[in-house]
Amino acid sequence: MRRSVLLFGLLLALLTNQSWAVEPLFNSRIDFRAGDSPRSVFSADLDGDSDNDLVVANRYSYNVSVFLNHVDGTFAPSVEYRVGGSPSSVFAVDLDGDLDNDLAVANERSDYVSVLLNNGDGTFAPSVKYVAGGRQASVFCVDLDGDDDHDLAVAIPNSDIVSVLLNNGDGTFATAVEYGAGDAPNSIFSVDLDGDLSNDLAVANRGSNNVSVLLNLGNALFCCIPPTVGDLDQGGGALGFNYDGSDLTLMIEGLFINPAHGFDAICLDEADVDFSCGQPCENTMVIDGSDLTMLIDALFIAPTHYLPNCDGTDNW
């Protein structure tokens, strides 16, 4: 008993000794008032003084709040800028090539992305709208076409697509190009995934419990790789056509019955069935019985016009 008391006393002394206490990593929090229901935050130097400021997307007040840093990690009162309906995601990067960081905002209740160009001092011009193809959940800015300016990639859950808007070089954007994703894409990220020095896309799909990977073909055209397509290679995957009944069944289902199954458009190019994952072609096929006959003939009976992988290699 006496020994137990001594051990307990020693343990208590060790625990109360300051030299054994865990040092805190953070000071107590400091709160800064933003708008109504903040949804997303991003940090970047917005006023050119080499410290990182904050921008917050406010879902219910339909605006973004900009907080300029006092250099010491405290911030001036926010300045609000109007954007679209229910902004869900904000990204800050130089969009117009003037070396200051601008803003791109995805709007959950609008069909357009809001772009706010920096005046050079941390204030922003009124937002400009660019149609994205549906209500947006997430936006990411990165160079997608290799011209050293930042383009936009937007996840659109209500349409099950990703929209890509290429930068014209001055902070204005071309018409959106849409690529299929999974069910209800909710978050998007871009980085080089296949080592070819071009930025690819990864998309988290809330509704289908998977991730879609879209590999960049080198000119901001993307090949969508469905997570599971049996032994049918939709381009860039490890498995290719083996010309059996399951491939034909998948083609009929994916192309004619349920196009949302994960297949890109079928194109007719110089009498060749071009299944090249979104690469441009002059004449788009009208999906009808004659097209199905052509596909069966080209793929299973006389496969002289085989389907290439996205990198141009043979698919057998």
Side-chain angles (χ1 to χ4, degrees):
M1 179 68 179
R2 185 175 180 181
R3 184 176 181 182
S4 298
V5 171
L6 289 174
L7 288 174
F8 177 77
L10 177 60
L11 178 61
L12 183 62
L14 290 174
L15 291 176
T16 56
N17 191 321
Q18 291 298 317
S19 64
W20 287 79
V22 177
E23 293 294 331
L25 295 177
F26 298 95
N27 289 324
S28 299
R29 78 173 195 267
I30 305 173
D31 297 330
F32 297 90
R33 180 68 181 174
D36 190 2
S37 188
R39 185 72 175 271
S40 173
V41 62
F42 199 96
S43 183
D45 181 12
L46 299 177
D47 55 359
D49 61 358
S50 300
D51 53 40
N52 289 304
D53 309 298
L54 301 177
V55 57
V56 179
N58 303 305
R59 184 180 187 187
Y60 292 140
S61 49
Y62 289 20
N63 59 21
V64 293
S65 298
V66 172
F67 298 85
L68 297 183
N69 197 329
H70 287 316
V71 183
D72 59 356
T74 63
F75 295 86
S78 66
V79 178
E80 276 67 46
Y81 296 89
R82 185 77 175 179
V83 292
S86 294
S88 56
S89 175
V90 61
F91 201 105
V93 73
D94 182 13
L95 295 174
D96 56 0
D98 62 358
L99 303 182
D100 52 42
N101 289 310
D102 310 297
L103 304 178
V105 184
N107 301 299
E108 186 177 346
R109 295 187 180 179
S110 301
D111 64 354
Y112 56 83
V113 177
S114 299
V115 172
L116 298 87
L117 297 182
N118 198 325
N119 295 321
D121 57 359
T123 65
F124 293 85
S127 65
V128 179
K129 305 174 183 178
Y130 294 93
V131 174
R135 299 179 177 184
Q136 310 107 55
S138 178
V139 62
F140 200 95
C141 303
V142 69
D143 181 14
L144 295 173
D145 55 358
D147 61 358
D148 295 324
D149 53 36
H150 290 91
D151 310 300
L152 305 181
V154 187
I156 303 179
N158 67 314
S159 302
D160 297 342
I161 61 173
V162 170
S163 285
V164 171
L165 295 86
L166 296 182
N167 197 326
N168 295 320
D170 57 359
T172 65
F173 293 85
T175 302
V177 178
E178 299 174 358
Y179 297 89
D183 184 11
N186 194 58
S187 179
I188 188 167
F189 195 92
S190 181
V191 72
D192 181 12
L193 295 173
D194 55 1
D196 63 356
L197 303 182
S198 57
N199 289 309
D200 310 299
L201 300 177
V203 187
N205 303 303
R206 183 180 68 242
S208 49
N209 298 325
N210 57 23
V211 174
S212 296
V213 174
L214 293 89
L215 298 181
N216 197 327
L217 300 176
N219 51 4
L221 295 170
F222 291 88
C223 165
C224 179
I225 303 177
T228 304
V229 290
D231 61 350
L232 174 59
D233 180 11
Q234 197 245 343
L239 299 174
F241 278 105
N242 59 5
Y243 304 103
D244 61 14
S246 63
D247 287 332
L248 179 57
T249 300
L250 279 169
M251 287 192 65
I252 294 173
E253 165 68 16
L255 300 175
F256 300 93
I257 299 174
N258 180 18
H261 191 268
F263 298 92
D264 292 319
I266 292 295
C267 298
L268 184 61
D269 184 13
E270 298 177 352
D272 189 1
V273 180
D274 179 9
F275 194 48
S276 52
C277 307
Q279 295 187 48
C281 60
E282 295 181 0
N283 301 306
T284 302
M285 291 179 70
V286 177
I287 303 302
D288 58 19
S290 63
D291 292 330
L292 179 57
T293 300
M294 180 182 294
L295 286 168
I296 293 173
D297 180 71
L299 296 173
F300 300 94
I301 300 173
T304 56
H305 295 127
Y306 58 87
L307 305 182
N309 288 319
C310 285
D311 60 3
T313 58
D314 291 353
N315 208 350
W316 52 48

